[in-house]
Amino acid sequence: MSSPERVYRIVSAEAWERAQHEGCLTPNAFDAASGFMHLSARDEVLESARRYFSAASQPMALEIPTHRLGAELVWEQVAARGNVAFPHLYATEVNVDDVSAVFPLRPANDGSYTWGSPHCP
């Protein structure tokens, strides 16, 4: 399997606003406990958002070209997600300039999400 050219970091609207102010995305508590920043391939974004984000948090999928992440980006199987390989970033931050597009994730009444229209960061 070849790696996708882009991965996605799902964050709340508040976390994205903070990152823009600080200039970088940093690990959240879940990342710190795991030892890496959690990312998703495009096919996994909506399910990850459903599992881990409430509609009130206004989740967003930040698109990041994989070549910007370097050797710290590692694909690892996740047993809890059917042994699907997920991108994990073993780094302390991601520069906001590495984000190529921001997709709002739109909540549905059943707790699922759909992709919103992208905008440039």
Side-chain angles (χ1 to χ4, degrees):
M1 169 186 111
S2 66
S3 296
E5 293 182 15
R6 293 169 183 78
V7 292
Y8 298 83
R9 172 72 171 170
I10 306 168
V11 297
S12 66
E14 179 183 349
W16 176 233
E17 185 176 321
R18 185 173 51 251
Q20 290 177 92
H21 177 73
E22 296 172 356
C24 64
L25 295 157
T26 56
N28 58 32
F30 185 52
D31 298 328
S34 302
F36 54 84
M37 291 177 71
H38 293 83
L39 304 171
S40 294
R42 185 171 176 90
D43 292 349
E44 299 300 331
V45 166
L46 298 178
E47 177 60 17
S48 293
R50 185 192 68 76
R51 286 176 180 241
Y52 303 111
F53 289 85
S54 70
S57 70
Q58 299 173 317
M60 308 178 144
L62 310 178
E63 182 180 83
I64 306 166
T66 55
H67 74 271
R68 301 294 300 258
L69 300 176
E72 291 82 22
L73 179 63
V74 178
W75 290 82
E76 298 174 310
Q77 290 184 321
V78 176
R81 298 286 293 272
N83 287 323
V84 170
F86 276 81
H88 295 156
L89 185 65
Y90 289 88
T92 58
E93 64 183 38
V94 174
N95 191 307
V96 295
D97 292 339
D98 292 334
V99 175
S100 59
V102 177
F103 294 84
L105 299 176
R106 305 288 184 214
N109 290 336
D110 65 359
S112 66
Y113 288 91
T114 58
W115 291 91
S117 298
H119 60 274
C120 293

